[in-house]
Amino acid sequence: EVLEKLQYQHPIVSLVLEYRQLTKLNSTYVEGLSKVIAPDGRIHTSFQNTVTATGRLSSTEPNLQNIPVRTELGAELRKMFVAPAGKMLVDADYSQIELRLLAHIAGDEHMIAAFRSGEDIHTVTASQVFGVAPEQVTHEMRRRAKAVNFGIVYGISPFSLSQDLGVTVAEAKAYMDAYFHRFPGVKAYMDQVVERARADGYVETPMHRRRALPEIKSSNHNMRSFGERVALNMPIQGAAADIIKLAMVRVHRHLKEAALEARLIMQVHDELIVECPEAEADRVKAILVREMEGAWPLSVPLIAEAHSGKSWYEAK
């Protein structure tokens, strides 16, 4: 983080950052994954169902859920994962599932209306926060609105948001205040869920899976703040974890009932990957989308998108 702030002060800083990125990608993924290729030519991970506090599956030895996707160079690593001859990978993932769950759980009518209309939620948020028509929203406005949207889900503070956006704390606070003014249902939900967590000592997902929260009653300010952030995020991230698990069961069952060769081989939080013969790809795409979108009833559409390719990179 310090180097990133200094990178325009001397050419060597950006070179050091680039070197670090390349050595990390090489040692962790290129060399690291090459060492764990099994005799069958595959890499086999182990999924843990009870490790994360939010209920997400975790992947170990090796962790295949942390293959980079955000940077262009990191995403290239997905070209290493290829389907066998005559087969394809079909990759389906949920679109903005945590924001859709926030709208559903909070019951905010403005956010629900935006998702039901099929509008881009970040553009709608930018138009509301900056007080301009949707068609006047600039790329930068949308970027800031996106940071606010995802920050709210994780209980972000004005200080953390200011760091993410490179603006002053006062500006970040103004963005958050404008957001809560436009989406009052979200603000009411956030206040309510923290209060209930203090009273009950736990939070739970809509499917009633609980996480104990002793930190929320701590006399230590930092511990208490952590407990409040968890109270805000766990019901949403936990619900997303519950839904993808339900979707996995539905997809597996349907592929079996349809007597297809296709099989579910990987889960990366809100993304499912199926390996299938090339001739089954279109049918598998349709099954993935239908079963994922129908996994749990929400007050807003649950949207899944599926793509196929010879490699994980192409399918993504």
Side-chain angles (χ1 to χ4, degrees):
E1 287 177 14
V2 174
L3 283 175
E4 278 170 7
K5 287 173 188 166
L6 297 173
Q7 66 179 315
Y8 301 111
Q9 297 189 22
H10 195 284
I12 199 171
V13 180
S14 57
L15 292 171
V16 169
L17 283 168
E18 186 186 4
Y19 175 77
R20 283 190 176 185
Q21 183 199 10
L22 294 171
T23 51
K24 165 76 177 168
L25 291 175
N26 184 52
S27 63
T28 305
Y29 303 109
V30 181
E31 292 176 2
L33 292 175
S34 299
K35 290 173 187 167
V36 290
I37 298 171
D40 64 359
R42 294 174 178 263
I43 293 176
H44 298 270
T45 186
S46 296
F47 285 109
Q48 318 294 330
N49 200 20
T50 55
V51 170
T52 69
T54 55
R56 280 177 154 196
L57 287 183
S58 64
S59 160
T60 56
E61 294 180 354
N63 181 357
L64 291 183
Q65 291 181 326
N66 73 344
I67 307 298
V69 71
R70 298 199 190 283
T71 64
E72 209 173 309
L73 186 62
E76 292 265 321
L77 292 166
R78 295 184 175 221
K79 290 179 179 176
M80 299 194 302
F81 297 87
V82 294
K87 298 206 171 175
M88 302 275 279
L89 296 179
V90 180
D91 185 310
D93 62 351
Y94 281 118
S95 168
Q96 301 168 334
I97 186 170
E98 292 188 358
L99 287 175
R100 291 172 191 272
L101 281 165
L102 174 62
H104 171 77
I105 294 170
D108 185 281
E109 58 189 60
H110 299 295
M111 197 177 267
I112 288 172
F115 276 122
R116 282 182 177 170
S117 69
E119 295 170 272
D120 174 65
I121 190 65
H122 303 311
T123 301
V124 171
T125 303
S127 123
Q128 301 274 359
V129 168
F130 294 105
V132 297
E135 57 273 16
Q136 292 176 301
V137 169
T138 64
H139 176 74
E140 181 59 21
M141 285 177 179
R142 186 183 180 279
R143 185 184 77 84
R144 294 187 177 197
K146 188 175 180 179
V148 175
N149 267 330
F150 286 117
I152 296 296
V153 172
Y154 289 94
I156 202 167
S157 67
F159 174 76
S160 296
L161 182 62
S162 73
Q163 296 275 298
D164 288 350
L165 290 176
V167 298
T168 65
V169 176
E171 278 180 282
K173 186 175 185 309
Y175 292 152
M176 291 176 74
D177 290 344
Y179 180 97
F180 289 133
H181 179 69
R182 297 294 181 178
F183 300 112
V186 175
K187 177 65 174 155
Y189 159 72
M190 289 172 72
D191 292 341
Q192 176 194 13
V193 77
V194 171
E195 281 307 309
R196 196 182 306 150
R198 280 201 194 100
D200 298 341
Y202 65 85
V203 282
E204 65 178 11
T205 70
M207 291 156 218
H208 307 295
R209 193 166 44 73
R210 293 181 180 180
R211 174 177 177 174
L213 261 188
E215 299 92 343
I216 206 159
K217 295 179 181 177
S218 171
S219 56
N220 179 298
H221 172 74
N222 288 343
M223 286 291 281
R224 200 165 59 249
S225 296
F226 168 77
E228 289 169 3
R229 284 196 304 277
V230 169
L232 295 170
N233 177 245
M234 190 273 172
I236 294 165
Q237 196 178 100
D242 292 342
I243 287 171
I244 193 88
K245 287 179 186 177
L246 288 170
M248 289 168 75
V249 173
R250 289 166 62 106
V251 167
H252 174 72
R253 186 183 296 143
H254 196 112
L255 293 176
K256 219 171 178 181
E257 285 169 358
L260 296 173
E261 264 189 66
R263 59 189 182 131
L264 188 57
I265 58 169
M266 184 70 188
Q267 187 252 55
V268 186
H269 308 313
D270 57 0
E271 172 186 353
L272 296 181
I273 301 160
V274 168
E275 181 183 290
C276 67
E278 290 175 15
E280 292 180 2
D282 288 340
R283 197 168 167 197
V284 168
K285 271 192 225 175
I287 289 170
L288 276 165
V289 169
R290 185 177 65 247
E291 299 304 328
M292 287 172 75
E293 290 184 348
W296 186 261
L298 298 183
S299 52
V300 297
L302 196 53
I303 303 293
E305 295 166 355
H307 305 278
S308 60
K310 287 298 293 178
S311 71
W312 192 0
Y313 181 87
E314 277 180 34
K316 187 68 179 149

